Amino acid sequence: MALTLFCCAMFWGCANKAPEITRTPTISTIAIVSVAEPKKMSVVNRNPLAFVSPLAGVITDKVNNMGKPEAFTETMLRQNMKMAILLTDSIAEELRSNGYTVSIVDAVPVPEDDPDEIDFRQVKTDADAILYVYFTDVGLASYFTSSSYLPRININGALRVKDEHDDFYNEDLCYGEHHRVRRTCAVAADPKFSYSSFDAAITRAAEIREAFETGTQALGKRMAIEIKAALK
């Protein structure tokens, strides 16, 4: 009898346990943390040899790419690009066009080697949510299936509802070269931004600047559209 009562009590308790409610927060104001300008750029040339021998492929890639990232970074920094401003403004413009009130707030300190470790509590704002975006990679890449160098930009964005501990939205988006590899985050580059060699690319820095600026704005708009969809 006692066992029966115990089982009934357990069943009743489980049956009446309040279900977890997943709801979309009501967001009308968003604060975007000022995006940091990328300080260095990458150059990747994946050798098809890696299909046969991964170790030999890594060694070959390292030799082929030696000194290229530094040379490319130096060349592109002389172009005085404003990628951070373009990214911030493109996100803000798209969000505002969809009815959100958007403010830009000062950046907060983050570890240089781990930029996703932001303390949202340090962001000074009264907005309903905080959006933190940063560049994870900017550069040129030539992968196994391509003989050409193409531009690539990777960004990450995290939207955190104020006083919450988890991100409501957190996604990686990529532009250019990576659209062939990671179609789920694809923003394709114009085919005209394709270069037969690293030397051919680095001598056309102004054109690559155009590719980076175009790609940055496209990524900003794409992220804002995704955030709006997530908040529906």
Side-chain angles (χ1 to χ4, degrees), residues 109-124:
V110 295
E112 191 166 333
D113 60 343
D114 197 5
D116 63 336
E117 286 298 317
I118 180 176
D119 185 352
F120 282 89
R121 295 170 299 179
Q122 294 188 39
V123 180
K124 306 298 183 185

Side-chain angles (χ1 to χ4, degrees), residues 139-217:
L140 293 173
S142 177
Y143 271 78
F144 310 111
T145 57
S146 174
S147 59
S148 301
Y149 281 89
L150 298 168
R152 74 170 176 188
I153 306 170
N154 294 352
I155 65 171
N156 175 268
L159 183 74
R160 180 79 59 91
V161 178
K162 194 173 182 182
D163 298 326
E164 293 289 336
H165 298 291
D166 297 313
D167 299 334
F168 181 77
Y169 166 94
N170 192 318
E171 292 292 341
D172 294 295
L173 297 179
C174 50
Y175 162 86
E177 187 280 331
H178 266 177
H179 83 276
R180 296 185 176 185
V181 182
R182 300 167 60 193
R183 294 180 184 276
T184 56
C185 67
V187 177
D190 189 317
K192 74 177 183 179
F193 300 123
S194 176
Y195 307 95
S196 59
S197 67
F198 174 74
D199 290 337
I202 203 169
T203 57
R204 300 168 74 175
E207 189 173 286
I208 295 176
R209 171 182 175 167
E210 180 188 349
F212 284 160
E213 291 178 345
T214 300
T216 297
Q217 290 174 307

Side-chain angles (χ1 to χ4, degrees), residues 52-68:
V52 180
S53 171
L55 179 59
V58 169
I59 294 172
T60 304
D61 290 347
K62 189 171 183 179
V63 172
N64 288 341
N65 295 325
M66 191 173 296
K68 291 179 180 177

Side-chain angles (χ1 to χ4, degrees), residues 4-18:
T4 301
L5 291 172
F6 175 77
C7 291
C8 288
M10 289 294 291
F11 175 80
W12 181 259
C14 292
N16 287 276
K17 182 180 179 181

Side-chain angles (χ1 to χ4, degrees), residues 33-44:
V33 179
S34 294
V35 179
E37 198 72 35
K39 295 180 180 179
K40 59 182 180 180
M41 301 189 181
S42 65
V43 176
V44 177

